[in-house]
Each structure stands twice: as structure tokens, then as C-alpha cells.
């Protein structure tokens, strides 16, 4: 089935846009490999070719995802994210190791990290919440994307009001992280959790505002009422 990867890459190359390729770089501090294709087009290509492989065993589809991840191209990683998420009804505990290896070995930018973790990993955690302990372990990784992943994997569950205790614990573990991408990640996690638990998140931010980096703090309180924002931002 490696031929399907060749076909996907052919279709991506056919839609390459040099101007968009250059402008995409402005969204990333680190250099990224990209074809320069609109996200809607990437999604359409991935969706079309998933029809060809959807009947394959999960292990084979994960193998194809692995090939896409290893290319380093952001568009190929997004297709890998979509294909893995399409299999969410068949996720089982042993899949976690595969997901962890992709994050630790292949993720190299915030867009791939967030797309994969928001959906595939987030759904897995909802299905198997005992793996929240593994997310907490990721907070101690030397890999910035693993640390960001520990937070952004809880974006969708957090928006639904789930896992508040664990969200606060992960925020605490990442509180003083020196990496801006990690700070933004856990700030975003706190922000979405505030949709359902505004008081709890405000109390956490207020109690830690002397230590919390301003980047994370601003993200966390972004959706709160003006009076709470002012109180949180007071020196």
C-alpha cells in the first residue's frame, strides 16, 4: 500500500503554491517543511484517499500514517492526523505507545502537535482516562512538543468540562516552563476549561499569578469577564 503514499504526495505536489509556501513560514518560529497548500485542500486530499484504505487493518493504516509523519512535511502530518482520528472507534490501550512515538519522534511544529493531540490523543484519553498519568509524565520530557502535548491533548475534553483536577495538576507541573510554546499550550488548556469551570480556573490563576508567566496568564483569562481579567492582571 506504499503506492497510496506516492499518490497522496503526487496530489499534494500538484497543489503546491510557492507563494503560500513562503507565507506559511511566518506562522512558525522554527523552520517547517511544507508544500504550501490551503488546509481545506489538504483535508480534501486526505479524505479522498482514506476511502481507498479505510478497509485495511488498523495496523496497516497506522503504518501509512507513520510514513507520512516521517516525511517532515506539515501537510502530510495533517493527513496522518486525520487518518488516525478516523479510526478512533477502534482505539485500544496499546495504541498509546504509537501515538507517543509520533509526538516524540516526528512532531516538529505547533500545528501538527495541536491537530494530532486535540483530536486523536484527546479522544483516546476520553476513552481511557487512566492514561492521564502518562500526560503528566510528558510534562517532564526534554522534548518541548511532548510537554505542549500534555496540555493540548485536553483541549476538547476540557472544553466539555472534563478532567478539571487533572488539568489543574498539569498546569501546575508546567507552571514555570521556560518554553513559550509550552506556556501558550497550558494557558490555552486553562482557557477552554474556564468555559465550564470559570471560578476554579480563576482561583487557580489568581493563586499563582505571581509565578505564572504572563503569556500563560493572558491565555488563561482571555474569555473571562473584564473585572476578573483586571483582578488577575494586577501586580
Amino acid at each position: 500500500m506504499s503506492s497510496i503514499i506516492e499518490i497522496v504526495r503526487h496530489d499534494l505536489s500538484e497543489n503546491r503554491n510557492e507563494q503560500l509556501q513562503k507565507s506559511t513560514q511566518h506562522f512558525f518560529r522554527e523552520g517547517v517543511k511544507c508544500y504550501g497548500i490551503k488546509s481545506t485542500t489538504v483535508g480534501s486530499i486526505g479524505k479522498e484517499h482514506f476511502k481507498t484504505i479505510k478497509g485495511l487493518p488498523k495496523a496497516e493504516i497506522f503504518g501509512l500514517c507513520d510514513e507520512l509523519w516521517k516525511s517532515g512535511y506539515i501537510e502530510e502530518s495533517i493527513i496522518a492526523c486525520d487518518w488516525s482520528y478516523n479510526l478512533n472507534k477502534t482505539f485500544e490501550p496499546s495504541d498509546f505507545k504509537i501515538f507517543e512515538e509520533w509526538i516524540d519522534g516526528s512532531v516538529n511544529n505547533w500545528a501538527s502537535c495541536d491537530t494530532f493531540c486535540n483530536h486523536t490523543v484527546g479522544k483516546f484519553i476520553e476513552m481511557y482516562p487512566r492514561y492521564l498519568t502518562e500526560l503528566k509524565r510528558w510534562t517532564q520530557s526534554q522534548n518541548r512538543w511532548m510537554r505542549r502535548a500534555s496540555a493540548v491533548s485536553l483541549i476538547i475534553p476540557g472544553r466539555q468540562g472534563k478532567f478539571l483536577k487533572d488539568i489543574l495538576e498539569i498546569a501546575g507541573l508546567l507552571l514555570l516552563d521556560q518554553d513559550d510554546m509550552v506556556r501558550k499550550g497550558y494557558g490555552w488548556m486553562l482557557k477552554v476549561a474556564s468555559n465550564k469551570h470559570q471560578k476554579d480556573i480563576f482561583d487557580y490563576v489568581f493563586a499563582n499569578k505571581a509565578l505564572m508567566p504572563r503569556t500563560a496568564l493572558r491565555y488563561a483569562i482571555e474569555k473571562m469577564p473584564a473585572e476578573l481579567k483586571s483582578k488577575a492582571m494586577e501586580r
Side-chain angles (χ1 to χ4, degrees), residues 15-47:
N15 286 276
R16 186 189 301 268
N17 182 305
E18 289 188 10
Q19 184 175 354
L20 187 57
Q21 188 179 42
K22 292 178 181 177
S23 64
T24 297
Q25 298 292 337
H26 297 310
F27 294 99
F28 302 91
R29 292 183 183 177
E30 62 285 331
V32 294
K33 289 173 65 177
C34 65
Y35 292 89
I37 305 173
K38 291 182 179 180
S39 59
T40 52
T41 303
V42 175
S44 295
I45 291 171
K47 184 176 182 180

Side-chain angles (χ1 to χ4, degrees), residues 55-73:
L56 294 175
K58 181 175 64 175
E60 291 189 32
I61 297 177
F62 278 178
L64 295 172
C65 291
D66 195 53
E67 286 192 55
L68 293 169
W69 273 114
K70 287 178 178 176
S71 75
Y73 277 92

Side-chain angles (χ1 to χ4, degrees), residues 128-190:
Y128 303 105
R130 67 181 182 273
Y131 281 85
L132 284 160
T133 58
E134 295 300 303
L135 296 191
K136 293 165 191 175
R137 179 175 58 81
W138 290 359
T139 66
Q140 306 306 303
S141 173
Q142 294 298 307
N143 185 333
R144 71 193 302 202
W145 302 117
M146 289 285 285
R147 301 199 309 277
R148 182 177 172 98
S150 70
V152 300
S153 293
L154 296 181
I155 294 298
I156 293 178
R159 186 176 291 135
Q160 297 167 349
K162 298 176 180 178
F163 307 136
L164 175 64
K165 176 179 175 292
D166 303 284
I167 284 170
L168 294 177
E169 187 174 344
I170 287 172
L173 291 167
L174 297 174
L175 184 66
L176 301 179
D177 200 285
Q178 297 299 303
D179 193 295
D180 197 48
M181 285 289 99
V182 179
R183 293 174 175 182
K184 290 178 179 178
Y186 87 76
W188 181 22
M189 175 184 67
L190 291 172

Side-chain angles (χ1 to χ4, degrees), residues 58-59 62 90-101 124 128 130-131:
K58 181 175 64 175
F62 278 178
T90 67
F91 286 170
E92 53 194 329
S94 58
D95 295 332
F96 186 82
K97 182 174 175 57
I98 296 171
F99 300 159
E100 184 175 49
E101 288 174 353
F124 178 92
Y128 303 105
R130 67 181 182 273
Y131 281 85

Side-chain angles (χ1 to χ4, degrees), residues 112-129:
S112 298
C113 181
D114 295 358
T115 302
F116 183 60
C117 293
N118 284 182
H119 302 289
T120 298
V121 182
K123 184 64 175 179
F124 178 92
I125 293 296
E126 289 188 76
M127 294 170 69
Y128 303 105

